[in-house]
Amino acid sequence: MKNNQVDHNLPEPTKAELEILQVLWEFGPSTVRFVNEKLNENREVNYTSTLKQMQILTEKGILKRDESQMKHIYIPVEAEEKTKVQLLDRFVNTLYKGSASQLMMQLLGNEKTSKEEIEEIKRLLEGME
Amino acid sequence: MKNNQVDHNLPEPTKAELEILQVLWEFGPSTVRFVNEKLNENREVNYTSTLKQMQILTEKGILKRDESQMKHIYIPVEAEEKTKVQLLDRFVNTLYKGSASQLMMQLLGNEKTSKEEIEEIKRLLEGME
DNA sequence: TGCATCGTACGAAAAATATCGTACCTTAGA
DNA sequence: TCTAAGGTACGATATTTTTCGTACGATGCA
């Protein structure tokens, strides 16, 4: 198998798509209006732009929706965790040739990772075995 | 400060650009031809496409080049580590709201992260303090 | 009933990325 | 000197992603 190939279980969400997913993850199934309002807390986006994105996400099978009401309710098809694991996996493979420990090293070396975080990580590891 | 904002120190390298950076990281300063050949081990790319990308990367200030010879030699401006740290930082912020330990949890929970990797990580942590 | 409000659908424009064709220069060697 | 090989420059096209305008259907209510 060639090197840089990735499994395309799900089409990789684009940046704008990820923003929307994040809103849905945080607040649960939502209407377009709600999502659009959340997005607008960070930057200006037209309502129909968000609508279109969410429709595209639905076409791609990343979201599904409940159309029983006029206000459609959008829901991520995959659980937050599962999607994040995929993205993380891709990230590790791309940047660290799959080596989680290398990624760790950078995380630990990064001064933005606080002492508390590091302690927390240690506790996690000890609790594993 | 608004939530989802990110520091744009360097323009974020795009996917195709990252591919090129990775070749340069792995093999050191290189000519376009060399990079192109490496890329072609994974997928077909026309020589001039790679050339153009590398010129764009240079315009963006991500690469610099030695033009003293006819065959220009391209070099990443920032060290591999620095760039990766930035990308990682962005990644953690975007997907894990900046929580490194949350990212860790997923890394550890991922069956693709091997026992050896986990042991390695533990060793790293113990060696820290 | 009439109309303002709020919803979806959808094509098309805009913007960002990626790829390529062609022009043209330089060098090496027959 | 001439030509083939191999280099850069760069505009144009293709593709992907993002944004938006417009059409039009539902609903609520004066």
Side-chain angles (χ1 to χ4, degrees):
Chain A
M1 181 170 104
K2 288 291 184 74
N3 234 348
N4 278 0
Q5 281 175 354
V6 181
D7 52 326
H8 284 301
N9 274 343
L10 270 190
E12 182 158 12
T14 66
K15 224 168 160 181
E17 289 174 350
L18 200 51
E19 275 187 313
I20 289 171
L21 272 177
Q22 285 173 313
V23 173
L24 293 176
W25 287 336
E26 181 166 4
F27 299 97
S30 309
T31 61
V32 174
R33 180 148 307 278
F34 179 82
V35 171
N36 184 245
E37 271 160 15
K38 286 298 166 191
L39 295 186
N40 274 278
E41 290 175 8
N42 296 319
R43 63 190 182 90
E44 248 185 62
V45 210
N46 191 300
Y47 175 84
T48 57
S49 302
T50 304
L51 170 62
K52 181 65 167 217
Q53 286 291 354
M54 292 175 76
Q55 286 169 342
I56 291 171
L57 277 161
T58 305
E59 277 171 33
K60 287 197 192 174
I62 294 177
L63 298 184
K64 63 189 172 191
R65 66 181 173 189
D66 174 355
E67 307 183 354
S68 65
Q69 312 298 123
M70 179 168 66
K71 301 186 187 186
H72 296 176
I73 303 288
Y74 288 77
I75 308 164
V77 167
E78 301 288 359
E80 172 173 5
E81 291 320 292
K82 181 164 178 190
T83 302
K84 283 188 179 177
V85 165
Q86 276 186 27
L87 293 174
L88 177 54
D89 198 46
R90 237 169 251 161
F91 189 82
V92 177
N93 284 326
T94 304
L95 254 65
Y96 299 92
K97 302 186 183 171
S99 162
S101 55
Q102 268 197 271
L103 186 156
M104 269 302 295
M105 294 240 341
Q106 270 199 359
L107 223 39
L108 296 174
N110 187 341
E111 74 266 4
K112 286 188 187 166
T113 302
S114 69
K115 266 208 158 57
E116 289 75 32
E117 285 280 10
I118 292 178
E119 284 310 316
E120 175 67 14
I121 291 169
K122 283 189 186 174
R123 240 170 291 133
L124 284 174
L125 274 170
E126 271 149 33
M128 282 192 64
E129 294 315 316
Chain B
M1 184 171 104
K2 288 290 183 76
N3 235 347
N4 280 1
Q5 282 177 353
V6 180
D7 52 326
H8 284 301
N9 274 343
L10 270 190
E12 183 159 10
T14 66
K15 225 166 159 181
E17 289 174 351
L18 200 52
E19 275 187 313
I20 289 171
L21 272 178
Q22 284 173 312
V23 173
L24 294 176
W25 287 336
E26 180 166 6
F27 300 97
S30 310
T31 62
V32 173
R33 180 147 309 277
F34 179 83
V35 171
N36 185 245
E37 272 159 14
K38 287 298 166 191
L39 295 186
N40 274 277
E41 290 175 8
N42 295 319
R43 65 191 180 88
E44 246 184 64
V45 211
N46 191 298
Y47 174 85
T48 55
S49 302
T50 304
L51 171 62
K52 180 67 168 215
Q53 286 292 351
M54 292 175 75
Q55 286 170 341
I56 290 171
L57 276 160
T58 305
E59 276 172 34
K60 286 197 192 175
I62 294 177
L63 299 184
K64 63 190 169 189
R65 66 182 174 189
D66 174 355
E67 308 182 354
S68 65
Q69 312 298 124
M70 181 170 63
K71 302 186 187 187
H72 297 175
I73 304 287
Y74 289 77
I75 308 164
V77 167
E78 301 288 359
E80 172 173 5
E81 292 320 293
K82 181 164 178 191
T83 302
K84 283 189 180 177
V85 164
Q86 276 186 28
L87 292 173
L88 177 52
D89 198 48
R90 236 169 250 163
F91 189 82
V92 177
N93 284 326
T94 304
L95 255 65
Y96 300 92
K97 302 187 183 172
S99 162
S101 55
Q102 268 197 271
L103 186 156
M104 271 302 295
M105 294 240 341
Q106 272 199 358
L107 223 40
L108 297 173
N110 188 343
E111 74 266 4
K112 285 188 188 167
T113 302
S114 70
K115 265 206 159 55
E116 289 75 32
E117 283 280 12
I118 292 178
E119 284 311 315
E120 175 67 14
I121 290 170
K122 284 190 184 172
R123 240 172 290 131
L124 284 174
L125 274 171
E126 271 148 31
M128 282 193 62
E129 295 314 316

